[in-house]
Amino acid sequence: MSSPTSLLIRRARIVLPNGESVVGDVLTSHRTVVEVAPEISTTTPTIEIDAQGLTLLPGVIDPQVHFREPGLEHKEDLFTASCACAKGGVTSFLEMPNTRPLTITQQALDDKLQRASQKCLVNYGFFIGATTDNLPDLLLAKPACGIKIFMGSMHGQLLVDQDAALEAIFSKGERLIAVHAEDQARINERRKEFAGTHDPAVHSQIQDNQAALLATEQALRLSKKYQRRLHILHMSTAEEANLLREDKPSWVTAEVTPQHLLLNTTAYDKIGTLAQMNPPLRSPHDNQVLWQALRDGVIDFIATDHAPHTIDEKAQEYPNAPSGMPGVETSLPLMLTAAMQGQCTVAQVVHWMSQAVAKAYGIPNKGAIAPGFDADLVLVDLDTYRPVLREELLTKCGWSPFEGWNLTGWPVLTIVGGQIVYEKGKVDTKVRGQALTFNH
């Protein structure tokens, strides 16, 4: 493993914690940013990086991914996924419990942490999954970034859709609860209604806006009853955004994915089941309302919900094709392209993809470029546009719903813990990230 070196990044446009941009230098040493200044001179041996014309951002923290290891490595594994992260400027991730075996015990969590320490090029953290009967693990398993509850869109042990079980989890302990909010009873009813239909577009009608709203309302009710820290994953509807706009306690946060901002139900005609995910894509109206909620701070940050399946699996006829799409390689360029188009600012992208995530999950020394913060950084080129090409993707599944989209803000260089992990198309597979810690 290559040891951390001092790096001196010169003449970069640096996005500072207050959102301002300045041209200057950044010096890192032993995994940490030590100085940010208009010009830095140093006598210690350093690797110098000329960043003229490039923009330096804190590394992206992706707070919702499914990396498929253990048990489903034919779709993705921790090594391939973390290579894709490095290429996409994602320097830390929080991974979900629906692997095989499920991450519902301390033993399973320890196994994932052990695997990640050997395989991951970027920093990592893991959720503990809720079942109807693993409350002791939910209270004690560590280090976990939070408890994941699938209120719907799940089968087997991870489906927790009964009121009594949800009440029991919300009423005990203080750990953050992150919910996949879809109402399973409504989904079951609507499946019967649309049985025998093979058009993937009905996915958005079966798991409709109402199914999402009902579950989010229930989670919010329980959170308020117990003053319990709640995070709403991949919010997808105008109705949920409007609900939170009216009623969002200080201890509740929410996220949105780039695909729920940038794709909608018109994608089914173009890419078929590649557009199928949970919760589903919505209408152009939902896109607009979600954007506004994000800009206004009603929605707090961005996550990808990177959930890869092989191209053969996705080629199956609906409803047999699995739901989910990859995202870690494209999320930052997608959001920076939106910034260049005037949907938001680069400073807002930094806030949504780094700063706000670190704050919500209590991850110390991450998400900003300032002395004392970890040297997790990404240099991007905001002047060059390149298309998303299937053959360039590092995710094992090898496809993207954004294939052919012309994007800017592609990472030129990604730094994890003061080490260059990605540079101009090449990944340094010797670099290893570290386990994240959580102050909550």
Side-chain angles (χ1 to χ4, degrees), residues 139-218:
L139 294 170
L140 298 171
K142 61 178 194 288
C145 53
I147 296 165
K148 168 70 179 282
I149 303 181
F150 286 92
M151 297 172 75
S153 289
M154 181 50 69
H155 47 266
Q157 281 180 284
L158 282 183
L159 177 64
V160 183
D161 63 343
Q162 299 304 307
D163 293 352
L166 289 165
E167 191 100 23
I169 296 164
F170 272 87
S171 66
K172 302 274 191 320
E174 295 179 346
R175 180 169 276 173
L176 175 149
I177 293 173
V179 293
H180 179 125
E182 289 189 279
D183 186 273
Q184 191 60 40
R186 182 171 176 86
I187 292 170
N188 292 345
E189 278 306 306
R190 290 181 71 76
R191 270 199 191 130
K192 288 179 204 155
E193 233 177 284
F194 291 93
T197 310
H198 298 295
D199 177 0
V202 304
H203 190 63
S204 293
Q205 293 171 266
I206 294 169
Q207 295 176 214
D208 66 351
N209 288 38
Q210 192 62 21
L213 179 64
L214 286 168
T216 294
E217 284 175 335
Q218 184 180 18

Side-chain angles (χ1 to χ4, degrees), residues 65-69 72 74-77 80-81 95 304-311 313-314 322-328 395-399:
V65 300
H66 302 261
F67 283 172
R68 307 304 192 198
E69 183 175 350
L72 299 161
H74 70 282
K75 300 175 194 275
E76 189 81 280
D77 60 59
T80 58
E95 205 260 353
T304 65
D305 192 18
H306 177 97
H309 302 283
T310 68
I311 201 81
E313 288 168 335
K314 289 296 269 187
S323 294
M325 51 180 70
V328 292
T395 172
K396 193 186 275 190
C397 73
W399 63 274

Side-chain angles (χ1 to χ4, degrees), residues 278-329:
N278 299 330
L281 300 177
R282 308 295 184 188
S283 72
H285 171 69
D286 291 293
N287 293 149
Q288 290 166 354
V289 175
L290 291 168
W291 263 115
Q292 196 58 51
L294 182 62
R295 286 190 289 260
D296 292 344
V298 174
I299 296 174
D300 299 271
F301 49 82
I302 299 282
T304 65
D305 192 18
H306 177 97
H309 302 283
T310 68
I311 201 81
D312 288 345
E313 288 168 335
K314 289 296 269 187
Q316 294 175 91
E317 189 176 51
Y318 185 81
N320 300 320
S323 294
M325 51 180 70
V328 292
E329 281 167 271

Side-chain angles (χ1 to χ4, degrees), residues 162-377:
Q162 299 304 307
D163 293 352
L166 289 165
E167 191 100 23
I169 296 164
F170 272 87
S171 66
K172 302 274 191 320
E174 295 179 346
R175 180 169 276 173
L176 175 149
I177 293 173
V179 293
H180 179 125
E182 289 189 279
D183 186 273
Q184 191 60 40
R186 182 171 176 86
I187 292 170
N188 292 345
E189 278 306 306
R190 290 181 71 76
R191 270 199 191 130
K192 288 179 204 155
E193 233 177 284
F194 291 93
T197 310
H198 298 295
D199 177 0
V202 304
H203 190 63
S204 293
Q205 293 171 266
I206 294 169
Q207 295 176 214
D208 66 351
N209 288 38
Q210 192 62 21
L213 179 64
L214 286 168
T216 294
E217 284 175 335
Q218 184 180 18
L220 197 57
R221 206 161 44 240
L222 287 166
S223 170
K224 285 158 71 175
K225 182 175 178 180
Y226 296 105
Q227 304 246 319
R228 184 64 182 266
R229 175 77 177 88
L230 171 68
H231 177 64
I232 299 156
L233 298 160
H234 45 42
M235 185 171 278
S236 63
T237 70
E239 289 87 341
E240 291 168 286
N242 292 333
L243 171 69
L244 281 201
R245 193 179 282 280
E246 296 304 313
D247 181 15
K248 188 187 178 197
S250 59
W251 60 86
V252 172
T253 52
E255 71 186 29
V256 65
T257 69
Q259 51 270 31
H260 285 116
L261 294 171
L262 300 167
L263 295 174
N264 51 56
T265 48
T266 61
Y268 292 116
D269 282 343
K270 296 177 192 135
I271 59 172
T273 50
L274 296 186
Q276 182 191 327
M277 66 173 297
N278 299 330
L281 300 177
R282 308 295 184 188
S283 72
H285 171 69
D286 291 293
N287 293 149
Q288 290 166 354
V289 175
L290 291 168
W291 263 115
Q292 196 58 51
L294 182 62
R295 286 190 289 260
D296 292 344
V298 174
I299 296 174
D300 299 271
F301 49 82
I302 299 282
T304 65
D305 192 18
H306 177 97
H309 302 283
T310 68
I311 201 81
D312 288 345
E313 288 168 335
K314 289 296 269 187
Q316 294 175 91
E317 189 176 51
Y318 185 81
N320 300 320
S323 294
M325 51 180 70
V328 292
E329 281 167 271
T330 50
S331 59
L332 184 58
L334 283 165
M335 293 306 295
L336 290 171
T337 302
M340 294 298 103
Q341 292 166 347
Q343 285 275 34
C344 57
T345 65
V346 173
Q348 283 175 310
V349 173
V350 167
H351 178 73
W352 298 329
M353 300 190 80
S354 304
Q355 222 165 3
V357 182
K359 183 183 173 198
Y361 283 96
I363 307 170
N365 306 319
K366 300 274 186 210
I369 303 173
F373 277 72
D374 293 343
D376 297 337
L377 306 164

